[in-house]
Amino acid sequence: MKFSGTQSYVATDDLKLAVNAAITLEKPLLVKGEPGTGKTMLAEQLAESFGVKLITWHIKSTTKAHQGLYEYDAVSRLRDSQLNSDKVHDVRNYINKGKLWEAFEADERVILLIDEVDKADIEFPNDLLQEIDKMEFYVYETNETIKAKHRPIIIITSNNEKELPDAFLRRCFFHYIAFPDRNTLQKIVDVHYPDISQSLVSEALDVFFDVRQIPGLKKKPSTSELVDWIKLLMADNIGEEILRERDVTKAIPPLAGALIKNEQDVMLLERLAFMSRRKR
């Protein structure tokens, strides 16, 4: 299985190399990068490219590792026992399978996405070490070991919100998705909007990179936000001439709500505009 990108996903050569290396080594691929650089979409496109099922485990701050294996619903079993239900005699009726169990018991190789692993508690990655390494886990309630029928291709994403344990990192193949350069962004826009005016794209990219380079910006606009912004420019018939003739004393580009996502950055742009007006 070799990944070479898809028609709707522009994968750089180093990213394709990382994906294929992880598959060859049979190790999880740990992908880091700015939010909006396509980390989650990578798993989706990988599943599409190989024609296999994608199983997604979205991690939250409250997520525990055992939830990816299974959860035993003791409360429901106690309630059913009080009601003299026949279900109570089979503990399997109260085992809720997690995403890892689902991936392990699949009849064909699947893609397992563990999305935003750094959102969970610091112990979360360590609690999954053996299961990811050995591709099996033990179910105490039923006294059985669940082994993977086919080793899934595991994609783990992180936004770098916290450091991951060394023991966990040793078991992964690591790749950092650098922010795309101008040529790559051009290709990404062309994939989404194949009939777009190239002069509009050129001017939009000029504005986009100008905004990203503003010192002190709390959240720089991402690739996905650029794609959304260009869609709005086309929908509102805002041509390249408007972007080309932008007034530096206004500072905030048209439809900036697609690019600027917090009030601190809006206030920063407004201050820059005020300073530009005073200099005039």
Side-chain angles (χ1 to χ4, degrees):
M1 303 175 81
K2 293 289 184 182
F3 179 62
S4 56
T6 67
Q7 290 185 344
S8 56
Y9 186 82
V10 177
T12 58
D13 290 339
D14 58 341
L15 177 57
K16 289 185 279 190
L17 186 65
V19 170
N20 293 323
I23 294 173
T24 300
L25 293 173
E26 295 188 330
K27 287 190 173 186
L29 175 63
L30 174 61
V31 186
K32 290 187 179 183
E34 285 185 31
T37 50
K39 299 184 298 296
T40 300
M41 189 179 295
L42 170 62
E44 297 169 355
Q45 296 301 314
L46 198 57
E48 178 182 321
S49 175
F50 293 157
V52 299
K53 181 180 180 181
L54 172 65
I55 298 174
T56 302
W57 186 15
H58 294 293
I59 307 303
K60 302 178 182 178
S61 59
T62 56
T63 303
K64 301 300 179 184
H66 69 84
Q67 294 173 320
L69 308 179
Y70 70 94
E71 291 185 276
Y72 170 54
D73 191 351
V75 174
S76 292
R77 193 179 190 192
L78 175 61
R79 184 183 63 244
D80 287 345
S81 68
Q82 294 171 339
L83 297 173
N84 295 321
S85 172
D86 291 337
K87 287 177 56 180
V88 76
H89 301 297
D90 188 351
V91 69
R92 288 177 175 79
N93 291 322
Y94 305 95
I95 299 291
N96 298 315
K97 299 177 182 179
K99 297 297 185 180
L100 264 73
W101 191 329
E102 184 181 346
F104 284 5
E105 72 173 3
D107 292 328
E108 61 179 4
R109 198 174 197 185
V110 300
I111 308 294
L112 173 62
L113 170 62
I114 304 178
D115 202 22
E116 298 188 328
V117 68
D118 53 325
K119 280 190 174 181
D121 184 85
I122 188 62
E123 292 302 321
F124 176 87
N126 278 336
D127 291 341
L128 287 176
L129 289 180
Q130 181 168 336
E131 289 77 13
I132 289 179
D133 199 25
K134 302 294 185 182
M135 286 287 126
E136 65 179 44
F137 62 89
Y138 185 72
V139 183
Y140 292 93
E141 288 78 7
T142 60
N143 192 31
E144 63 180 331
T145 297
I146 304 300
K147 295 184 179 182
K149 295 180 181 178
H150 305 277
R151 179 180 285 269
I153 298 172
I154 302 177
I155 306 295
I156 303 173
T157 70
S158 169
N159 287 327
N160 248 350
E161 292 184 7
K162 62 170 67 79
E163 290 295 322
L164 299 174
D166 289 345
F168 180 77
L169 295 175
R170 282 198 301 272
R171 289 166 168 81
C172 298
F173 189 93
F174 173 76
H175 181 72
Y176 180 82
I177 298 182
F179 192 82
D181 59 21
R182 188 183 182 99
N183 288 337
T184 303
L185 283 177
Q186 175 85 50
K187 293 177 183 177
I188 291 172
V189 172
D190 288 344
V191 163
H192 284 83
Y193 313 115
D195 300 324
I196 192 172
S197 163
Q198 292 305 306
S199 56
L200 174 61
V201 176
S202 178
E203 293 299 331
L205 287 175
D206 286 344
V207 176
F208 177 75
F209 279 110
D210 284 348
V211 172
R212 278 187 59 88
Q213 291 169 4
I214 293 174
L217 205 64
K218 185 175 181 181
K219 183 194 178 303
K220 295 180 180 181
S222 67
T223 306
S224 60
E225 288 158 346
L226 169 66
V227 172
D228 289 344
W229 183 53
I230 290 179
K231 181 178 182 179
L232 291 176
L233 293 178
M234 293 189 298
D236 284 17
N237 293 316
I238 296 178
E240 60 268 19
E241 64 281 354
I242 296 177
L243 300 180
R244 187 182 303 116
E245 297 173 2
R246 60 189 184 278
D247 187 347
V248 294
T249 64
K250 296 180 181 178
I252 300 179
L255 300 168
L259 299 176
I260 307 300
K261 295 302 179 72
N262 61 67
E263 62 277 14
Q264 294 98 320
D265 289 343
V266 171
M267 292 173 65
L268 174 60
L269 291 183
E270 290 175 343
R271 284 198 299 271
L272 292 174
F274 177 73
M275 292 171 62
S276 296
R277 287 194 293 270
R278 292 198 62 179
K279 288 178 181 178
R280 288 190 169 190

